[in-house]
């Protein structure tokens, strides 16, 4: 649980440092993959929902979703099927 929380905190701080700058397409694709894989892996390991869906995760998820929407409007094929939407949804 500590590892998950600290990982999300580092990503959140990195995104906060770049709050006024749009992410490059490759940064966005990489972060989406990292966040989704981290979330899924720790969920499979039995980390509690309260820890997984923390305020930090919500902040990261929200920022990446907004960045994804911006890219989809400005660059038609930029993300090539990579999205924050969970495949379970």
């Amino acid at each position: 649980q500590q590892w998950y929380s600290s990982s999300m905190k580092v990503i959140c701080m990195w995104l906060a440092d770049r709050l006024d700058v749009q992410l490059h397409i490759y940064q966005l694709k990489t972060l989406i993959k990292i966040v989704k894989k981290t979330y899924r892996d720790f969920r499979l390991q039995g980390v509690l929902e309260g820890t997984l869906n923390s305020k930090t995760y919500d902040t990261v998820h929200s920022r990446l979703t907004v960045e994804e929407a911006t890219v989809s409007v400005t660059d038609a094929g930029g993300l090539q099927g990579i999205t924050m939407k969970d495949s379970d949804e």
Side-chain angles (χ1 to χ4, degrees):
Q1 291 178 351
Q2 231 176 355
W3 189 8
Y4 174 80
S5 296
S6 63
S7 298
M8 285 300 142
K9 190 176 288 186
V10 167
I11 293 170
C12 188
M13 288 177 8
W14 189 86
L15 287 170
D17 289 345
R18 289 148 185 85
L19 195 57
D20 56 343
V21 178
Q22 183 178 350
L23 297 177
H24 189 275
I25 187 82
Y26 297 112
Q27 290 174 319
L28 180 59
K29 288 165 92 172
T30 303
L31 283 172
I32 288 173
K33 287 180 182 180
I34 289 170
V35 169
K36 286 177 71 174
K37 178 140 179 63
T38 302
Y39 183 91
R40 286 185 188 136
D41 287 353
F42 280 91
R43 184 178 65 193
L44 288 173
Q45 293 298 322
V47 174
L48 300 174
E49 288 292 320
T51 303
L52 288 173
N53 297 317
S54 65
K55 182 70 174 166
T56 305
Y57 172 77
D58 288 342
T59 303
V60 169
H61 188 277
S62 176
R63 170 72 187 274
L64 294 178
T65 303
V66 168
E67 291 283 345
E68 176 188 335
T70 303
V71 167
S72 68
V73 169
T74 58
D75 186 5
L79 289 175
Q80 300 166 341
I82 298 171
T83 177
M84 279 304 293
K85 185 176 180 182
D86 195 6
S87 59
D88 297 340
E89 294 177 357

